[in-house]
Amino acid sequence: MENNNNHQNPHAIIVSYPLQGHVIPCVHLAMKLASKGFTITFVNTQSIHHQITKATSNQTDHDNDIFSDARKSGLDIRYKTVSDGFPLGFDRSLNHDQFMADTFYVWSSMISIKYNLINISFWTEPALVLNLYYHLDLLRAHGHFASIDNREDTIDYIPGVRAIEPKDLMSYLQATDTSTIVHKIIFKAFEDVKMADFILCNTVQELEPATLSALQEKQPTYAIGPIFPTGFTKSPVATSLWSESECTQWLHNKPPKSVLYVSFGSYAHASKNDIVEIAEGLLLSEVNFIWVLRPDIVSSDETEFLPVGFEENIKGRGLIVTWCCQIAVISHSAIGGFLTHCGWNSILESIWCGIPLLCFPLLTDQFTNRKLAVDDWKIGLNLCDDNNNKTITRKQVSDKIHRLMRRKSGDDDELIKNIKDVKRTIENALSSANGSSERNLHQFINDVKARIIKLSKSGSALFNHA
């Protein structure tokens, strides 16, 4: 749309939740909407901005504006930072609940009403997770949530969800103590979601048809994912919270499909025992691997967690880095599998690259994402076969790595067949104007423009996500 006196571009304010897994799709959404004619104001916390600029090797262009390069390409994206109420040196990971209480964005409907804005909730996880949170009242009424002794039988009464086991609910819905700060925030957040004018989902209609249909009966909901950078290459906008190590040269020297990529994401923590058993399992497996191992993977105040001599024992076949450009690594021909925490971005990126998964969920939506990947789409294996007993052993880790990386039986070859099928579904959804995600995005833009005209002449919208 041309920005002239007669026809002003819609102006969208995008406020990202301050975690890596949320900042990335929010940035990509900002760029996608800007490419469709929107004016964007992107709001980051000062803490996230500080981490990004600190991690970026060439900080000159990004000290004040991470979108400077994107703007040079003609995209109308403005950039603002706000305080989250804590000093930059405050350890947000170690003081999770205190931080969440001040920064979880449950105020979008209030701001929208106050300033006469359209309220858009951007959901960065699968629609299944949104739908389960959306129906907390049903889970509570049936005794599967928020009771002293939560029921353990199959849940078969959620609209759009044929059946799900309690062990596959998000970790916060498996808890018996629902008086925590996080739970209070969740309750408020999903009251807020139900007040949104529109909901955007970073998923694909054909992958979650029944769940999306159920949500669409409640509110205007659009599946527009996966939202990747153009060409699935490194984004021109810096989003990494840590300095990225260069891994591709190391990968160039490895045979095709011979390297296991291991990463547990940007936020969730693992126990020291699990990290030790995974390390020993990697040694036993004798496969090549890249392991993204954050210094705070166990805790911010416990940084010595690897077995003695581990790094010496893996020389030549194992590479440990604190962070990397995941897209660049998993799209390399040498990568043959991904041991993952089942973050939604990681699952979508793996599908796009045709990489089968070894699943080890740790927190929140990751347990539900695992269900989709392993049970529904059958594109991965469980690291723990018994989800109720989450203790892992080095032999179990080694055996599962062998199954993933050295597939010999016809049954395991189904992983590759299935992931190719799911990838084709995603490719079709993003293809030209005929794909479902492109059609849904086009419909969303038209609906927003119509609502702007109806609501006011201000031409503004507030994007947010729970």
Side-chain angles (χ1 to χ4, degrees), residues 335-399:
I335 299 295
F338 185 176
L339 172 48
T340 175
H341 66 310
C342 297
W344 186 234
N345 290 334
S346 291
I347 288 177
L348 291 175
E349 290 166 7
S350 297
I351 293 169
W352 191 257
C353 296
I355 305 297
L357 304 168
L358 186 52
C359 297
F360 183 53
L362 297 169
L363 184 69
T364 187
D365 63 309
Q366 296 158 18
F367 298 95
T368 315
N369 301 346
R370 181 220 64 81
K371 176 198 182 298
L372 289 170
V374 177
D375 300 344
D376 296 3
W377 303 333
K378 304 187 188 309
I379 58 173
L381 305 172
N382 292 320
L383 185 62
C384 304
D385 284 319
D386 181 1
N387 279 10
N388 293 318
N389 179 9
K390 297 180 175 66
T391 303
I392 57 173
T393 66
R394 59 197 66 184
K395 184 178 186 309
Q396 182 182 42
V397 172
S398 176
D399 290 347

Side-chain angles (χ1 to χ4, degrees), residues 6-56:
N6 297 322
H7 204 55
Q8 186 179 24
N9 286 354
H11 186 174
I13 304 164
I14 297 184
V15 186
S16 174
Y17 184 76
L19 290 178
Q20 179 90 83
H22 297 257
V23 171
I24 290 172
C26 282
V27 164
H28 295 160
L29 176 64
M31 296 180 68
K32 189 151 195 168
L33 289 174
S35 72
K36 302 289 187 183
F38 275 69
T39 294
I40 303 292
T41 296
F42 192 97
V43 181
N44 241 345
T45 63
Q46 291 167 358
S47 170
I48 291 292
H49 174 75
H50 175 73
Q51 281 188 265
I52 290 172
T53 53
K54 184 180 176 183
T56 307

